[in-house]
Amino acid sequence: MKIAVVNSGSSSLKFKLFEAKDALAHFVVENIGKADAKIIFAFREKKVAISKIVANHCEALKEIVELLKEYEILADFSHLDAIGHRVVHGGEAFVDATVIDDEAIKKIESLKHLDPLHNEANLEGILLALKMAPLVKQIAVFDTAFHSKMPKEAYLYALEAKYYENYGIRRYGFHGSSHSYLAKACANELQKDIRELNIITLHLGNGSSVCAVQGGVSIDTSMGFTPLEGVIMGTRCGDIDAGVVFYMQRELGLSVDETDEILNTRSGLFGLCGTNDVREISASGDANAKLALDMLSRSIKKYIGAYMALLGRVDAIVFGGGIGENSAILRKMIFENINFGILFDDDANEDSRKIISKADSKIDIMVIKTDEEQEIANECYKILES
Ligand code: ADP
C-alpha cells in the first residue's frame, strides 16, 4: 500500500511517500512565495536541492507531482491508497485520525479561529489534494489528538467555568504526533510494553513542547490553548505572567496584534540574543547568547522536574526535534546538578548515541530522531487496515 503524507506549514510544505510502511521519498518545499524558495528532495541515495520560486502551496504540490513522475516514483496521486494530512488543531471535535469528508472539512473550518495560521494552511493542503485525487481516501491526523485524554485537572485553566464551557478556553497541547512517535520508539528501544512505562518526551525544535506520557497516554503537556505556552522557544516567549500582556497594552500602548507578534515572533531565543539558531548561540561568546542558553536549559529542566513529580516514577526521558537531537551542549546543561539517581553519560551524549545515560541510571535518557510523517502514515495504515 502506498501512502503520501502532506504537512503544510505557513511557508513550507513537507511531503513523504510511504510504501509498505517504509519511507520511499521525502520532499521539503521551503520559503513558499519568497525569492529564496527551495525544493529539497530525497529518494533512495539521491538528495537534490533545487532553487526555484514556488508561488504558493498549490504550485509546491504540482512541483512534487512532476518530480515524482520524472523520477518514475509515482505516475500521479490517483495511484495512492491514501493521503494523510497533518492538521494542527482538532479542538475537542477530533480525538482520533479521521477520514476526510464534507462534514470533517466543515468542522476543521469551524476550528480556524483557534489557530488561524496553521489550520488555514493545513486545510489548503487538504483541498488541493482532494482536487488532485478526488477518489483517494484522505485522512486528517491532528496534533492535538494525542493530548485529548489529559485529565480535566491538566487541561483546565483556573478560570470561571463559562470560559471553558462556552468558549473552549483550555489546554489543548500540540506536537502530538511527535510525542506519540517518541514514546513508542522509546518503548521499542527498551523492548518494553508502552503501557508499563512512564516517559517524559521533549520535542525541542523551533517550536518546543514537553509531554508527560503515562502508559502511552499524554497526561500533561507544556503547550496550552495555543503553542505560545511552555518552555522558551525559538521566537516564542513560553510561560509568562499574563499581567505582562496587560501592562504592555495599557502602559506601552501596544495593540493586541502588536503584543501577539512580539510574544510569538520576536521573543524567546531570538528576543534574548538576536538569533533562534541554537548552533549559533552555542558557538557564540556573547553574554546574551550565554544567558539565552542558560534560560533555555533552566526552563526545560523545570518541566522535567514538574513531570517527574506528576508521574511519580519515570522510566525514560526522550529528546527529539532539531535541538533535542543535535545539541549535546544543551542536553548536558539540562542534567547538570540533577541527581534523583540519573547517571548522565557524557561520552554517549557527545557522540549523540541513542542512550545517553549510564547502564545503572535509574532513568534512561535517550535521543531519538522524531518522525511526525511516519506517525501520521502509521495512523493512516491503521485506518486502511481496519
Ligand atoms: P521546526 O520546529 O521548524 O521543525 P526543527 O525541529 O527542524 O524545527 O529544529 C530547528 C532548530 O534546531 C534550529 O533552529 C536550530 O536551533 C536547531 N538545530 C539544528 N541543528 C542543530 C545542531 N547541530 N546543533 C544545535 N541545534 C541545532
Side-chain angles (χ1 to χ4, degrees):
M1 272 195 285
K2 275 200 175 91
I3 286 184
V5 172
V6 178
N7 181 351
S8 311
S10 48
S11 66
S12 71
L13 191 144
K14 292 181 188 159
F15 179 100
K16 228 175 198 177
L17 183 68
F18 293 84
E19 183 159 31
K21 302 189 184 176
D22 291 323
L24 199 68
H26 186 194
F27 297 78
V28 183
V29 186
E30 286 177 350
N31 300 328
I32 294 175
K34 296 188 187 139
D36 55 347
K38 208 194 273 175
I39 306 169
I40 300 159
F41 157 46
F43 169 58
R44 295 212 174 107
E45 284 78 45
K46 226 181 225 61
K47 194 161 182 197
V48 185
I50 307 164
S51 290
K52 182 170 191 175
I53 293 181
V54 181
N56 50 42
H57 287 74
C58 181
E59 293 303 316
L61 216 49
K62 280 186 189 156
E63 292 287 346
I64 292 171
V65 173
E66 284 310 311
L67 285 165
L68 286 167
K69 226 190 282 179
E70 190 184 324
Y71 284 84
E72 296 178 353
I73 307 167
L74 190 76
D76 63 64
F77 282 2
S78 66
H79 291 80
L80 292 166
D81 293 283
I83 302 178
H85 296 269
R86 175 188 182 204
V87 180
V88 169
H89 218 308
E92 288 190 331
F94 296 101
V95 296
D96 276 312
T98 303
V99 175
I100 295 167
D101 54 14
D102 289 348
E103 199 192 330
I105 290 177
K106 268 193 216 136
K107 270 201 218 164
I108 296 171
E109 246 164 5
S110 76
L111 294 169
K112 263 197 217 163
H113 64 285
L114 288 173
D115 191 346
L117 189 71
H118 292 107
N119 269 33
E120 182 109 30
N122 301 155
L123 197 59
E124 204 178 318
I126 292 173
L127 297 176
L128 262 172
L130 271 171
K131 225 189 247 171
M132 286 174 147
L135 301 177
V136 175
K137 197 173 263 184
Q138 316 257 343
I139 297 166
V141 181
F142 301 87
D143 266 25
T144 44
F146 182 61
H147 305 296
S148 65
K149 296 187 182 76
M150 282 189 293
K152 215 166 192 174
E153 57 269 30
Y155 72 69
L156 281 185
Y157 289 112
L159 299 171
E160 283 177 81
K162 64 181 175 188
Y163 294 107
Y164 166 59
E165 285 162 7
N166 302 343
Y167 307 104
I169 297 176
R170 52 160 284 179
R171 175 182 311 285
Y172 289 100
F174 299 90
H175 293 139
S177 294
S178 178
H179 289 296
S180 172
Y181 180 88
L182 292 173
K184 285 181 196 156
C186 164
N188 239 359
E189 187 64 29
L190 295 174
Q191 298 186 329
K192 292 223 171 103
D193 187 332
I194 196 165
R195 287 170 297 186
E196 291 164 9
L197 294 173
N198 286 346
I199 305 168
I200 297 174
T201 50
L202 302 122
H203 176 100
L204 307 178
N206 239 328
S208 298
S209 64
V210 187
C211 185
V213 187
Q214 189 168 54
V217 177
S218 162
I219 62 147
D220 214 321
T221 190
S222 59
M223 280 181 167
F225 179 62
T226 75
L228 184 58
E229 194 181 347
V231 294
I232 292 174
M233 300 175 226
T235 61
R236 298 187 192 121
C237 59
D239 294 332
I240 192 167
D241 176 355
V244 172
V245 183
F246 316 140
Y247 187 87
M248 283 173 133
Q249 293 178 2
R250 275 199 208 109
E251 298 297 320
L252 313 183
L254 295 168
S255 70
V256 173
D257 286 347
E258 282 166 337
T259 324
D260 184 332
E261 202 204 325
I262 291 168
L263 300 187
N264 272 296
T265 68
R266 283 159 47 199
S267 301
L269 298 175
F270 174 80
L272 287 167
C273 69
T275 172
N276 56 353
D277 193 325
V278 169
R279 278 163 294 203
E280 261 180 62
I281 295 172
S282 312
S284 162
D286 180 64
N288 289 334
K290 192 184 165 315
L291 177 67
L293 211 55
D294 284 342
M295 287 175 68
L296 176 63
S297 64
R298 185 185 177 92
S299 97
I300 297 166
K301 197 185 245 207
K302 279 166 82 167
Y303 271 96
I304 292 177
Y307 289 170
M308 281 172 72
L310 269 184
L311 289 164
R313 182 205 87 227
V314 173
D315 300 290
I317 299 170
V318 186
F319 284 88
I323 300 171
E325 289 156 28
N326 295 300
S327 180
I329 296 174
L330 185 74
R331 293 191 301 252
K332 185 178 160 75
M333 287 171 77
I334 290 169
F335 287 100
E336 246 154 27
N337 303 320
I338 286 196
N339 198 316
F340 303 111
I342 294 175
L343 299 174
F344 192 75
D345 184 336
D346 276 325
D347 294 334
N349 181 49
E350 283 303 322
D351 297 348
S352 282
R353 273 185 239 149
K354 221 173 204 171
I355 297 186
I356 57 169
S357 51
K358 298 200 171 135
D360 50 348
S361 175
K362 283 215 173 105
I363 299 175
D364 288 306
I365 308 169
M366 291 188 189
V367 179
I368 293 177
K369 189 169 166 35
T370 197
D371 194 337
E372 288 165 300
E373 286 82 18
Q374 179 74 58
E375 183 67 17
I376 293 169
N378 292 347
E379 288 291 315
C380 294
Y381 278 113
K382 249 199 259 170
I383 288 184
L384 291 180
E385 286 161 2
S386 65

